[in-house]
Amino acid sequence: MVNADEIGAGIGLPPNAVRILKQLACDLKELDCVAYEGVVTFFLNGTEGLPQTLDKIPERFGEAWFLCHRVDLHAALKRLAFSKEPGTEGHGPPAILHLGKKVVDYNSTSGTITLDGGIIQRADLIIAADGIHSACRTILLGDIGRPTPSAIAAYRWMVDTTIIKQHPELDWVTAGPSGP
Ligand SMILES: Cc1cc2nc3c(=O)[nH]c(=O)nc-3n(C[C@H](O)[C@H](O)[C@H](O)COP(=O)(O)OP(=O)(O)OC[C@H]3O[C@@H](n4cnc5c(N)ncnc54)[C@H](O)[C@@H]3O)c2cc1C
């Protein structure tokens, strides 16, 4: 099944992202975000690593640094792109999303893309946001090198805060940051 819904956990909204979201008239309160105030790292043996504190971000970078849930951000962006409600439109007509269409060829001379199945679409501007393994990049620029694994792995998971709150020694995890 193909759908346009997001899954996953948190996503960082650094000051530049916040600036762009505001320009798009995205209501940050809708995102239910919290201020990113730093990270605490632990080594495998349980000892604490160097804390990274993010002081005075708005003063230094002009906007705050927030964290929100991916699903909320995705839903807000979809609303901005597709909404026909008065007061929520961006510039021009609402966007139309065609799901399950694979682009198999790009032609920068004719300004066309070819979809799986042979349909050719033309546009004045084509933006290929097709990810780290971009087919467009290879088709238009040739094999200019592939992403190489960094050999660093990161794991993450979500924990229900009602469980964390049963452990007073973990109060610091849930206390603190405020939203926009
Ligand atoms: C676990 C994890 C956590 C992350 N956390 C953060 C974070 O907190 N903050 C942050 O800023 N970034 C984060 N990132 C990185 C972020 O997700 C990526 O940088 C971002 O998704 C890249 O966006 P993109 O649009 O370039 O590509 P993608 O998100 O990969 O999107 C590419 C899209 O193109 C489609 N596509 C590909 N080929 C074709 C084709 N031939 N035809 C049609 N469609 C095609 C794909 O289906 C996909 O939907 C995280 C990444 C991971 C894996």
Side-chain angles (χ1 to χ4, degrees), residues 27-100:
D27 181 359
L28 291 176
K29 288 201 173 67
E30 258 185 72
L31 301 182
D32 205 13
C33 33
V34 293
Y36 179 33
E37 295 182 344
V39 290
V40 180
T41 57
F42 293 94
F43 295 113
L44 273 179
N45 64 10
T47 57
E48 214 174 292
L50 282 178
Q52 185 197 7
T53 310
L54 296 166
D55 269 344
K56 298 197 172 84
I57 291 290
E59 291 83 348
R60 288 163 61 203
F61 301 108
E63 289 291 352
W65 190 324
F66 293 118
L67 296 170
C68 74
H69 196 286
R70 267 163 201 270
V71 172
D72 294 328
L73 176 61
H74 195 247
L77 290 174
K78 278 198 299 185
R79 212 166 27 251
L80 284 169
F82 306 142
S83 182
K84 296 182 178 123
E85 292 162 30
T88 55
E89 307 97 337
H91 299 292
I96 300 168
L97 185 62
H98 300 278
L99 293 169

Side-chain angles (χ1 to χ4, degrees), residues 10-14 70 101-104 106 129-132 135 156:
I11 187 159
L13 300 175
R70 267 163 201 270
K101 309 281 184 195
K102 185 175 180 187
V103 182
V104 293
Y106 296 82
D130 55 351
I132 196 167
R156 67 177 185 179

